[in-house]
PDB file of all heavy atoms in Angstrom:
ATOM      1  N   LEU A 285     -59.719 -42.554 -93.667  1.00  0.00           N
ATOM      2  CA  LEU A 285     -58.445 -43.183 -93.909  1.00  0.00           C
ATOM      3  C   LEU A 285     -58.582 -43.848 -95.209  1.00  0.00           C
ATOM      4  O   LEU A 285     -59.409 -44.541 -95.570  1.00  0.00           O
ATOM      5  CB  LEU A 285     -58.194 -44.227 -92.772  1.00  0.00           C
ATOM      6  CG  LEU A 285     -58.535 -43.940 -91.380  1.00  0.00           C
ATOM      7  CD1 LEU A 285     -58.442 -45.107 -90.506  1.00  0.00           C
ATOM      8  CD2 LEU A 285     -57.638 -42.688 -90.885  1.00  0.00           C
ATOM      9  N   ALA A 286     -57.455 -43.805 -96.015  1.00  0.00           N
ATOM     10  CA  ALA A 286     -57.491 -44.295 -97.434  1.00  0.00           C
ATOM     11  C   ALA A 286     -56.128 -44.704 -97.891  1.00  0.00           C
ATOM     12  O   ALA A 286     -55.128 -43.931 -97.676  1.00  0.00           O
ATOM     13  CB  ALA A 286     -58.091 -43.271 -98.399  1.00  0.00           C
ATOM     14  N   ASN A 287     -56.070 -45.765 -98.471  1.00  0.00           N
ATOM     15  CA  ASN A 287     -54.845 -46.328 -99.269  1.00  0.00           C
ATOM     16  C   ASN A 287     -55.124 -46.160-100.786  1.00  0.00           C
ATOM     17  O   ASN A 287     -56.120 -46.668-101.182  1.00  0.00           O
ATOM     18  CB  ASN A 287     -54.530 -47.658 -98.927  1.00  0.00           C
ATOM     19  CG  ASN A 287     -53.968 -47.826 -97.505  1.00  0.00           C
ATOM     20  OD1 ASN A 287     -53.522 -46.820 -96.892  1.00  0.00           O
ATOM     21  ND2 ASN A 287     -53.810 -49.117 -96.955  1.00  0.00           N
ATOM     22  N   ARG A 288     -54.175 -45.614-101.460  1.00  0.00           N
ATOM     23  CA  ARG A 288     -54.253 -45.588-102.886  1.00  0.00           C
ATOM     24  C   ARG A 288     -53.295 -46.604-103.433  1.00  0.00           C
ATOM     25  O   ARG A 288     -52.077 -46.561-103.194  1.00  0.00           O
ATOM     26  CB  ARG A 288     -53.879 -44.190-103.399  1.00  0.00           C
ATOM     27  CG  ARG A 288     -53.988 -44.140-104.987  1.00  0.00           C
ATOM     28  CD  ARG A 288     -53.143 -43.103-105.574  1.00  0.00           C
ATOM     29  NE  ARG A 288     -53.216 -43.053-107.057  1.00  0.00           N
ATOM     30  CZ  ARG A 288     -52.264 -42.634-107.958  1.00  0.00           C
ATOM     31  NH1 ARG A 288     -51.141 -42.213-107.355  1.00  0.00           N
ATOM     32  NH2 ARG A 288     -52.439 -42.658-109.182  1.00  0.00           N
ATOM     33  N   ASP A 289     -53.864 -47.636-104.167  1.00  0.00           N
ATOM     34  CA  ASP A 289     -53.015 -48.611-104.771  1.00  0.00           C
ATOM     35  C   ASP A 289     -52.888 -48.354-106.273  1.00  0.00           C
ATOM     36  O   ASP A 289     -53.900 -48.110-106.909  1.00  0.00           O
ATOM     37  CB  ASP A 289     -53.650 -50.039-104.512  1.00  0.00           C
ATOM     38  CG  ASP A 289     -53.831 -50.342-103.007  1.00  0.00           C
ATOM     39  OD1 ASP A 289     -53.050 -49.754-102.313  1.00  0.00           O
ATOM     40  OD2 ASP A 289     -54.726 -51.079-102.719  1.00  0.00           O
ATOM     41  N   GLU A 290     -51.674 -48.341-106.756  1.00  0.00           N
ATOM     42  CA  GLU A 290     -51.463 -48.036-108.139  1.00  0.00           C
ATOM     43  C   GLU A 290     -50.163 -48.517-108.675  1.00  0.00           C
ATOM     44  O   GLU A 290     -49.377 -48.859-107.835  1.00  0.00           O
ATOM     45  CB  GLU A 290     -51.623 -46.438-108.349  1.00  0.00           C
ATOM     46  CG  GLU A 290     -51.443 -45.902-109.747  1.00  0.00           C
ATOM     47  CD  GLU A 290     -52.497 -46.498-110.778  1.00  0.00           C
ATOM     48  OE1 GLU A 290     -52.045 -47.465-111.325  1.00  0.00           O
ATOM     49  OE2 GLU A 290     -53.579 -45.975-110.864  1.00  0.00           O
ATOM     50  N   TYR A 291     -49.934 -48.640-110.055  1.00  0.00           N
ATOM     51  CA  TYR A 291     -48.646 -48.834-110.493  1.00  0.00           C
ATOM     52  C   TYR A 291     -47.694 -47.728-110.123  1.00  0.00           C
ATOM     53  O   TYR A 291     -47.930 -46.559-110.196  1.00  0.00           O
ATOM     54  CB  TYR A 291     -48.709 -49.035-112.024  1.00  0.00           C
ATOM     55  CG  TYR A 291     -49.403 -50.195-112.535  1.00  0.00           C
ATOM     56  CD1 TYR A 291     -50.730 -50.148-112.930  1.00  0.00           C
ATOM     57  CD2 TYR A 291     -48.729 -51.415-112.493  1.00  0.00           C
ATOM     58  CE1 TYR A 291     -51.377 -51.347-113.334  1.00  0.00           C
ATOM     59  CE2 TYR A 291     -49.384 -52.604-112.887  1.00  0.00           C
ATOM     60  CZ  TYR A 291     -50.723 -52.607-113.313  1.00  0.00           C
ATOM     61  OH  TYR A 291     -51.406 -53.635-113.792  1.00  0.00           O
ATOM     62  N   HIS A 292     -46.522 -48.176-109.650  1.00  0.00           N
ATOM     63  CA  HIS A 292     -45.509 -47.271-109.086  1.00  0.00           C
ATOM     64  C   HIS A 292     -44.971 -46.355-110.215  1.00  0.00           C
ATOM     65  O   HIS A 292     -44.460 -45.215-110.016  1.00  0.00           O
ATOM     66  CB  HIS A 292     -44.429 -47.934-108.326  1.00  0.00           C
ATOM     67  CG  HIS A 292     -44.676 -48.519-107.039  1.00  0.00           C
ATOM     68  ND1 HIS A 292     -44.816 -47.655-105.891  1.00  0.00           N
ATOM     69  CD2 HIS A 292     -45.045 -49.636-106.626  1.00  0.00           C
ATOM     70  CE1 HIS A 292     -45.274 -48.325-104.816  1.00  0.00           C
ATOM     71  NE2 HIS A 292     -45.332 -49.552-105.240  1.00  0.00           N
ATOM     72  N   ALA A 293     -44.962 -46.870-111.393  1.00  0.00           N
ATOM     73  CA  ALA A 293     -44.485 -46.086-112.577  1.00  0.00           C
ATOM     74  C   ALA A 293     -45.285 -44.940-113.040  1.00  0.00           C
ATOM     75  O   ALA A 293     -44.976 -44.136-113.835  1.00  0.00           O
ATOM     76  CB  ALA A 293     -44.126 -47.081-113.680  1.00  0.00           C
ATOM     77  N   ARG A 294     -46.615 -44.984-112.642  1.00  0.00           N
ATOM     78  CA  ARG A 294     -47.582 -43.961-113.011  1.00  0.00           C
ATOM     79  C   ARG A 294     -47.155 -42.586-112.423  1.00  0.00           C
ATOM     80  O   ARG A 294     -47.196 -42.460-111.249  1.00  0.00           O
ATOM     81  CB  ARG A 294     -48.935 -44.367-112.671  1.00  0.00           C
ATOM     82  CG  ARG A 294     -50.032 -43.473-113.379  1.00  0.00           C
ATOM     83  CD  ARG A 294     -51.399 -43.898-113.176  1.00  0.00           C
ATOM     84  NE  ARG A 294     -52.485 -43.165-113.750  1.00  0.00           N
ATOM     85  CZ  ARG A 294     -53.129 -43.378-114.875  1.00  0.00           C
ATOM     86  NH1 ARG A 294     -52.778 -44.485-115.581  1.00  0.00           N
ATOM     87  NH2 ARG A 294     -54.008 -42.581-115.415  1.00  0.00           N
ATOM     88  N   PRO A 295     -46.973 -41.573-113.219  1.00  0.00           N
ATOM     89  CA  PRO A 295     -46.484 -40.302-112.736  1.00  0.00           C
ATOM     90  C   PRO A 295     -47.587 -39.658-111.828  1.00  0.00           C
ATOM     91  O   PRO A 295     -48.779 -39.598-112.174  1.00  0.00           O
ATOM     92  CB  PRO A 295     -46.294 -39.423-113.976  1.00  0.00           C
ATOM     93  CG  PRO A 295     -46.066 -40.363-115.015  1.00  0.00           C
ATOM     94  CD  PRO A 295     -46.948 -41.641-114.684  1.00  0.00           C
ATOM     95  N   THR A 296     -47.238 -39.216-110.684  1.00  0.00           N
ATOM     96  CA  THR A 296     -48.153 -38.664-109.665  1.00  0.00           C
ATOM     97  C   THR A 296     -47.568 -37.580-108.865  1.00  0.00           C
ATOM     98  O   THR A 296     -46.278 -37.544-108.605  1.00  0.00           O
ATOM     99  CB  THR A 296     -48.503 -39.817-108.679  1.00  0.00           C
ATOM    100  OG1 THR A 296     -49.178 -40.814-109.260  1.00  0.00           O
ATOM    101  CG2 THR A 296     -49.335 -39.342-107.483  1.00  0.00           C
ATOM    102  N   LEU A 297     -48.311 -36.648-108.488  1.00  0.00           N
ATOM    103  CA  LEU A 297     -47.942 -35.492-107.549  1.00  0.00           C
ATOM    104  C   LEU A 297     -48.555 -35.808-106.144  1.00  0.00           C
ATOM    105  O   LEU A 297     -49.695 -36.175-106.091  1.00  0.00           O
ATOM    106  CB  LEU A 297     -48.392 -34.128-108.005  1.00  0.00           C
ATOM    107  CG  LEU A 297     -47.667 -33.424-109.181  1.00  0.00           C
ATOM    108  CD1 LEU A 297     -48.266 -32.156-109.497  1.00  0.00           C
ATOM    109  CD2 LEU A 297     -46.152 -33.342-108.836  1.00  0.00           C
ATOM    110  N   ALA A 298     -47.739 -35.734-105.100  1.00  0.00           N
ATOM    111  CA  ALA A 298     -48.254 -35.901-103.679  1.00  0.00           C
ATOM    112  C   ALA A 298     -49.242 -34.717-103.401  1.00  0.00           C
ATOM    113  O   ALA A 298     -49.254 -33.844-104.090  1.00  0.00           O
ATOM    114  CB  ALA A 298     -47.044 -35.888-102.727  1.00  0.00           C
ATOM    115  N   ALA A 299     -49.989 -34.985-102.365  1.00  0.00           N
ATOM    116  CA  ALA A 299     -50.963 -34.042-101.891  1.00  0.00           C
ATOM    117  C   ALA A 299     -50.345 -32.604-101.721  1.00  0.00           C
ATOM    118  O   ALA A 299     -49.401 -32.468-101.008  1.00  0.00           O
ATOM    119  CB  ALA A 299     -51.744 -34.493-100.569  1.00  0.00           C
ATOM    120  N   GLN A 300     -50.961 -31.599-102.320  1.00  0.00           N
ATOM    121  CA  GLN A 300     -50.534 -30.364-102.221  1.00  0.00           C
ATOM    122  C   GLN A 300     -51.568 -29.314-102.849  1.00  0.00           C
ATOM    123  O   GLN A 300     -52.373 -29.799-103.613  1.00  0.00           O
ATOM    124  CB  GLN A 300     -49.179 -30.057-103.014  1.00  0.00           C
ATOM    125  CG  GLN A 300     -49.237 -30.380-104.502  1.00  0.00           C
ATOM    126  CD  GLN A 300     -47.835 -30.444-105.088  1.00  0.00           C
ATOM    127  OE1 GLN A 300     -47.381 -29.403-105.469  1.00  0.00           O
ATOM    128  NE2 GLN A 300     -47.285 -31.649-105.174  1.00  0.00           N
ATOM    129  N   PRO A 301     -51.493 -28.046-102.473  1.00  0.00           N
ATOM    130  CA  PRO A 301     -52.428 -27.150-103.216  1.00  0.00           C
ATOM    131  C   PRO A 301     -52.096 -27.200-104.756  1.00  0.00           C
ATOM    132  O   PRO A 301     -50.998 -27.045-105.047  1.00  0.00           O
ATOM    133  CB  PRO A 301     -52.142 -25.763-102.487  1.00  0.00           C
ATOM    134  CG  PRO A 301     -51.623 -26.190-101.219  1.00  0.00           C
ATOM    135  CD  PRO A 301     -50.865 -27.412-101.461  1.00  0.00           C
ATOM    136  N   TRP A 302     -53.133 -27.085-105.509  1.00  0.00           N
ATOM    137  CA  TRP A 302     -53.000 -27.163-107.006  1.00  0.00           C
ATOM    138  C   TRP A 302     -52.557 -25.697-107.462  1.00  0.00           C
ATOM    139  O   TRP A 302     -53.237 -24.767-107.114  1.00  0.00           O
ATOM    140  CB  TRP A 302     -54.217 -27.649-107.707  1.00  0.00           C
ATOM    141  CG  TRP A 302     -54.362 -29.189-107.520  1.00  0.00           C
ATOM    142  CD1 TRP A 302     -53.723 -30.039-106.683  1.00  0.00           C
ATOM    143  CD2 TRP A 302     -55.228 -29.934-108.275  1.00  0.00           C
ATOM    144  NE1 TRP A 302     -54.176 -31.266-106.843  1.00  0.00           N
ATOM    145  CE2 TRP A 302     -55.032 -31.265-107.725  1.00  0.00           C
ATOM    146  CE3 TRP A 302     -56.148 -29.750-109.270  1.00  0.00           C
ATOM    147  CZ2 TRP A 302     -55.797 -32.374-108.230  1.00  0.00           C
ATOM    148  CZ3 TRP A 302     -56.927 -30.859-109.724  1.00  0.00           C
ATOM    149  CH2 TRP A 302     -56.724 -32.100-109.222  1.00  0.00           C
ATOM    150  N   SER A 303     -51.581 -25.775-108.339  1.00  0.00           N
ATOM    151  CA  SER A 303     -51.093 -24.355-108.849  1.00  0.00           C
ATOM    152  C   SER A 303     -52.318 -23.652-109.672  1.00  0.00           C
ATOM    153  O   SER A 303     -52.422 -22.492-109.605  1.00  0.00           O
ATOM    154  CB  SER A 303     -49.913 -24.523-109.760  1.00  0.00           C
ATOM    155  OG  SER A 303     -50.270 -25.447-110.794  1.00  0.00           O
ATOM    156  N   THR A 304     -53.094 -24.406-110.418  1.00  0.00           N
ATOM    157  CA  THR A 304     -54.172 -23.972-111.239  1.00  0.00           C
ATOM    158  C   THR A 304     -55.420 -23.695-110.527  1.00  0.00           C
ATOM    159  O   THR A 304     -56.292 -22.955-110.871  1.00  0.00           O
ATOM    160  CB  THR A 304     -54.455 -24.836-112.409  1.00  0.00           C
ATOM    161  OG1 THR A 304     -54.734 -26.188-111.909  1.00  0.00           O
ATOM    162  CG2 THR A 304     -53.251 -24.923-113.469  1.00  0.00           C
ATOM    163  N   ASN A 305     -55.642 -24.343-109.411  1.00  0.00           N
ATOM    164  CA  ASN A 305     -56.783 -24.236-108.450  1.00  0.00           C
ATOM    165  C   ASN A 305     -56.377 -24.291-107.009  1.00  0.00           C
ATOM    166  O   ASN A 305     -56.433 -25.383-106.309  1.00  0.00           O
ATOM    167  CB  ASN A 305     -57.839 -25.360-108.774  1.00  0.00           C
ATOM    168  CG  ASN A 305     -58.354 -25.309-110.147  1.00  0.00           C
ATOM    169  OD1 ASN A 305     -57.859 -25.984-111.129  1.00  0.00           O
ATOM    170  ND2 ASN A 305     -59.401 -24.578-110.348  1.00  0.00           N
ATOM    171  N   PRO A 306     -55.786 -23.267-106.554  1.00  0.00           N
ATOM    172  CA  PRO A 306     -55.102 -23.183-105.195  1.00  0.00           C
ATOM    173  C   PRO A 306     -56.053 -23.495-104.022  1.00  0.00           C
ATOM    174  O   PRO A 306     -55.578 -23.699-102.935  1.00  0.00           O
ATOM    175  CB  PRO A 306     -54.479 -21.827-105.159  1.00  0.00           C
ATOM    176  CG  PRO A 306     -55.210 -21.026-106.209  1.00  0.00           C
ATOM    177  CD  PRO A 306     -55.647 -21.850-107.248  1.00  0.00           C
ATOM    178  N   HIS A 307     -57.434 -23.578-104.318  1.00  0.00           N
ATOM    179  CA  HIS A 307     -58.325 -23.816-103.204  1.00  0.00           C
ATOM    180  C   HIS A 307     -58.460 -25.361-102.999  1.00  0.00           C
ATOM    181  O   HIS A 307     -59.132 -25.779-102.111  1.00  0.00           O
ATOM    182  CB  HIS A 307     -59.705 -23.229-103.502  1.00  0.00           C
ATOM    183  CG  HIS A 307     -60.427 -23.788-104.630  1.00  0.00           C
ATOM    184  ND1 HIS A 307     -60.039 -23.663-105.971  1.00  0.00           N
ATOM    185  CD2 HIS A 307     -61.452 -24.696-104.685  1.00  0.00           C
ATOM    186  CE1 HIS A 307     -60.820 -24.375-106.807  1.00  0.00           C
ATOM    187  NE2 HIS A 307     -61.716 -25.001-105.986  1.00  0.00           N
ATOM    188  N   ILE A 308     -57.817 -26.172-103.946  1.00  0.00           N
ATOM    189  CA  ILE A 308     -57.873 -27.590-103.939  1.00  0.00           C
ATOM    190  C   ILE A 308     -56.581 -28.122-103.290  1.00  0.00           C
ATOM    191  O   ILE A 308     -55.455 -27.713-103.578  1.00  0.00           O
ATOM    192  CB  ILE A 308     -58.048 -28.204-105.237  1.00  0.00           C
ATOM    193  CG1 ILE A 308     -59.425 -27.797-105.917  1.00  0.00           C
ATOM    194  CG2 ILE A 308     -58.005 -29.678-105.255  1.00  0.00           C
ATOM    195  CD1 ILE A 308     -59.626 -28.338-107.239  1.00  0.00           C
TER     196      ILE A 308
END
Side-chain angles (χ1 to χ4, degrees):
L285 319 170
N287 282 348
R288 180 201 182 210
D289 304 331
E290 181 55 270
Y291 288 99
H292 284 285
R294 190 174 179 102
T296 294
L297 285 179
Q300 57 190 281
W302 288 11
S303 58
T304 53
N305 296 91
H307 70 287
I308 295 175

